[in-house]
Amino acid sequence: MKVYMKEREEICDVCHKLWQRGIVAANDGNVSARLKDGTILCTPSGVSKGDMKPEMLVLLAADGTVISAEEGYKPSSEMKMHLRCYSEREDVNAVVHAHPPIATSYASMGKALDGYYMTENIMNLGAVPLASYARPSTDEVPDSIAPLLQNHDAMLLANHGALTVGETLTKAYFNMESLEMYAKTSLYIHLLGGAPDLSRERIDELLKLRENVYKLPGRHPGYVKYNKEDQK
């Protein structure tokens, strides 16, 4: 299918990177992008992201109705989550759901990522919250992320995985990569004995740089701590 071929190829490129980097396995995860006319391209159910091809992608209306799909392909069962992102955020044009191993381990332990150790994480994503547990493929999933969407471009899904959004497909994917790196570095810091957060003065300086100098896109929660046991 040659409709939206450039966008289809871009989604497949992201799918291949997710699989190559071990952020998804088997048929895990799903990717979507909102097009300029308001329609949505999404990955189909039951296909490895490593094997994704442009013609496999499904074209949806804004309400999730299938506009076109090759025979044998249907939308991912998690599209309800993607549609909620688009309906809640006009600035979001791409959504990535994956199961990055270390970030998902934090999610399965019931822990948000809210350590303020690294300048890049503080400026880029900020603290990453944990959405409450929800049964996969049900309305519980979009309902669980809705309270977090207005202030975050990345979130953990309890016992499930992670979700990132972006104004572009590249940004949504980069947010997923950054999230897993944040989780990995946080794990290493813990294994090495732990480290304190940067001072509030330095954190505030970095947040001002984000806003006034680097002018980074997307939503940022500012300074917030989610893990109660870490709060002083």
Side-chain angles (χ1 to χ4, degrees):
M1 182 178 293
K2 296 183 179 180
V3 179
Y4 305 113
M5 184 54 69
K6 178 177 180 292
E7 292 84 354
R8 289 172 181 270
E9 290 174 348
E10 289 173 349
I11 291 175
C12 288
D13 180 58
V14 165
C15 289
H16 298 160
K17 287 176 179 175
L18 289 168
W19 183 80
Q20 289 164 355
R21 285 160 174 73
I23 296 175
V24 294
N27 301 333
D28 293 350
N30 29 80
V31 179
S32 71
R34 177 159 56 182
L35 308 176
K36 291 181 179 179
D37 62 3
T39 58
I40 297 166
L41 273 174
C42 74
T43 52
S45 176
V47 178
S48 167
K49 302 304 166 289
D51 295 331
M52 197 65 62
K53 296 178 175 58
E55 62 271 15
M56 296 176 177
L57 301 179
V58 180
L59 183 65
L60 305 177
D63 64 359
T65 303
V66 175
I67 296 174
S68 65
E70 291 290 309
E71 184 176 356
Y73 296 107
K74 61 182 180 179
S76 165
S77 60
E78 296 289 6
M79 274 308 297
K80 294 176 182 178
M81 178 168 56
H82 294 240
L83 296 175
R84 181 65 67 89
C85 294
Y86 295 128
S87 67
E88 295 277 345
R89 296 264 304 266
E90 291 185 356
D91 61 312
V92 166
N93 293 308
V95 179
V96 176
H97 166 52
H99 302 162
I102 302 175
T104 300
S105 297
Y106 275 91
S108 298
M109 292 177 62
K111 292 180 69 69
L113 287 168
D114 63 356
Y116 291 82
Y117 318 119
M118 298 156 282
T119 58
E120 290 81 1
N121 289 336
I122 293 170
M123 288 191 291
N124 186 27
L125 292 178
V128 178
L130 176 68
S132 58
Y133 178 78
R135 287 177 297 166
S137 305
T138 71
D139 289 333
E140 293 178 11
V141 180
D143 288 346
S144 72
I145 66 168
L148 307 174
L149 273 171
Q150 293 306 316
N151 296 313
H152 296 273
D153 288 348
M155 60 200 73
L156 301 177
L157 309 176
N159 306 95
H160 188 174
L163 177 76
T164 57
V165 301
E167 63 179 5
T168 66
L169 182 60
T170 297
K171 181 58 177 172
Y173 168 69
F174 280 173
N175 284 341
M176 184 61 72
E177 267 201 356
S178 296
L179 171 59
E180 179 66 350
M181 184 61 71
Y182 183 4
K184 180 184 289 188
T185 308
S186 297
L187 174 62
Y188 288 166
I189 289 172
H190 173 75
L191 292 174
L192 290 169
D197 289 346
L198 291 177
S199 69
R200 277 302 303 275
E201 179 181 5
R202 289 182 174 174
I203 293 170
D204 290 342
E205 288 174 349
L206 292 170
L207 295 179
K208 288 178 181 178
L209 282 174
R210 169 189 167 82
E211 181 178 359
N212 300 323
V213 178
Y214 297 116
K215 301 185 185 300
L216 298 177
R219 305 283 177 92
H220 193 291
Y223 177 81
V224 61
K225 297 292 283 187
Y226 291 111
N227 295 315
K228 293 181 180 180
E229 68 271 21
D230 295 338
Q231 296 179 11
K232 297 180 181 180

